[in-house]
Amino acid sequence: MTPEQQTLDSVVVGQSARMRAVFDFLKVIGDSDSTVLITGESGTGKEVTATLVHQNSRRRYRPFVPVSCALFSETLIESELFGHERGAFTGAIKDRPGRFELAEGGTIFLDDVDDVPLSMQVKLLRVLQNRTIERLGGTRAVPVNVRVVVGTKRDLKQLVEEGKFREDLYYRLNVLPVTLPPLRERPEDIPVLMEHFLTRYFRRRNEAVPEVSAAVREAFARYTWPGNVRELENACERIAQTCWCGTVRVGCTAASILFRAGAQPVRTALPVAPPMASQ
């Protein structure tokens, strides 16, 4: 199934009331062109949520362009977002479109928007107000037709009070707010997510999904998952790569999770992978 064919119900995993409320809200705002502000701790699924917004909108057949604002220095982020003209700086040997132009007709996702420098925030505000960009080194306004979705792991309102984020930009971004709860606040989703990720990674190995012991399920339920869904997925991938027995037992699970969950790891060697068949 292609990304364009996916729907919320086919890609969303979670049954807690808080997450179902999030999914219902995403369905409501899908065809809107208003800016979406996604807030959540690291690993809660902000880019996945932004993808869902795009896939369930009338823009779903146009590009979805994710950008992590934390990856670029203050001198590079303007060129990355808005592009540059030939000769704008040393090494600019030809015109280059930015991410906003690449997302034409679709959706741009600006993750870690809290890392955008103050000097760039006023330019981003101008884009949201006028729906035009100006390439670095250019002199003409280029109209852009994109939906803007932004993600942040920090409280932008608090950053405004600290003078680290423009208040006018905050209000421009905070049109359709979506808050993703951390995994520790929706423990009923842990077994659902665990089953989902184990199924994914064991099927990639062309193996049947094994049973999960009660001890492992209890450890996963008691662990606080500071890395949220991303950490849980990594733990399931580790199990799929190291567990060669018929049941996922404590010995197949990372010791750090067991220790912090209060479980006692079994001090036995992991089963050895079966030898590769001769060609």
Side-chain angles (χ1 to χ4, degrees), residues 4-271:
E4 291 79 7
Q5 294 171 316
Q6 290 177 325
T7 65
L8 278 172
D9 292 334
S10 68
V11 297
V12 161
V13 177
Q15 61 184 14
S16 64
R18 293 184 65 180
M19 288 308 298
R20 294 313 311 178
V22 169
F23 304 148
D24 290 343
F25 184 64
L26 296 184
K27 292 179 181 179
V28 170
I29 67 175
D31 280 334
S32 169
D33 282 332
S34 298
T35 302
V36 181
L37 172 61
I38 305 173
T39 305
E41 294 179 6
S42 178
T44 49
K46 293 186 287 294
E47 184 169 342
V48 171
T49 304
T51 305
L52 295 178
V53 171
H54 175 71
Q55 290 175 350
N56 288 271
S57 74
R58 56 177 172 265
R59 297 177 179 268
R60 60 185 173 275
Y61 299 110
R62 302 297 296 167
F64 173 77
V65 179
V67 185
S68 176
C69 299
L71 293 178
F72 304 106
S73 66
E74 185 171 355
T75 56
L76 286 178
I77 191 170
E78 182 175 2
S79 174
E80 285 294 327
L81 293 181
F82 307 141
H84 61 254
E85 300 284 343
R86 177 181 177 182
F89 51 83
T90 302
I93 60 176
K94 62 180 180 179
D95 294 352
R96 179 177 180 272
R99 305 296 182 92
F100 271 89
E101 289 181 83
L102 295 176
E104 179 65 23
T107 305
I108 188 169
F109 174 52
L110 304 177
D111 198 9
D112 299 310
V113 73
D114 47 285
D115 285 315
V116 173
L118 282 169
S119 60
M120 270 296 299
Q121 290 178 22
V122 65
K123 297 179 180 180
L124 183 57
L125 176 65
R126 189 177 302 121
V127 174
L128 294 172
Q129 290 175 332
N130 303 330
R131 296 295 168 174
T132 61
I133 58 100
E134 189 173 298
R135 287 182 177 179
L136 186 64
T139 57
R140 67 183 182 90
V142 179
V144 289
N145 173 24
V146 298
R147 186 181 194 179
V148 178
V149 181
V150 299
T152 176
K153 58 187 176 299
R154 303 172 67 186
D155 184 345
L156 293 187
K157 186 63 174 176
Q158 179 64 36
L159 294 182
V160 169
E161 295 174 359
E162 296 172 0
K164 298 178 180 178
F165 202 87
R166 291 182 63 98
E167 185 175 28
D168 48 4
L169 177 57
Y170 167 70
Y171 287 116
R172 278 286 178 180
L173 297 176
N174 193 33
V175 180
L176 296 173
V178 176
T179 301
L180 300 179
L183 194 52
R184 63 182 175 275
E185 293 181 5
R186 49 187 183 104
E188 60 268 46
D189 286 339
I190 292 174
V192 181
L193 287 163
M194 179 171 58
E195 181 178 355
H196 171 75
F197 290 129
L198 287 176
T199 299
R200 172 191 294 178
Y201 288 110
F202 274 97
R203 283 182 176 173
R204 285 184 184 178
R205 233 178 63 180
N206 293 319
E207 296 281 346
V209 183
E211 294 292 327
V212 180
S213 70
V216 171
R217 291 187 179 276
E218 181 180 358
F220 270 52
R222 295 177 62 181
Y223 186 56
T224 56
W225 301 105
N228 293 293
V229 178
R230 184 183 298 122
E231 184 183 10
L232 191 150
E233 180 179 2
N234 291 345
C236 292
E237 183 177 6
R238 178 188 186 278
I239 289 172
Q241 296 302 317
T242 60
C243 182
W244 294 89
C245 45
T247 302
V248 178
R249 304 186 187 280
V250 172
C252 304
T253 308
S256 58
I257 294 176
L258 298 172
F259 178 77
R260 293 177 183 176
Q264 296 297 319
V266 176
R267 300 184 180 279
T268 57
L270 291 174

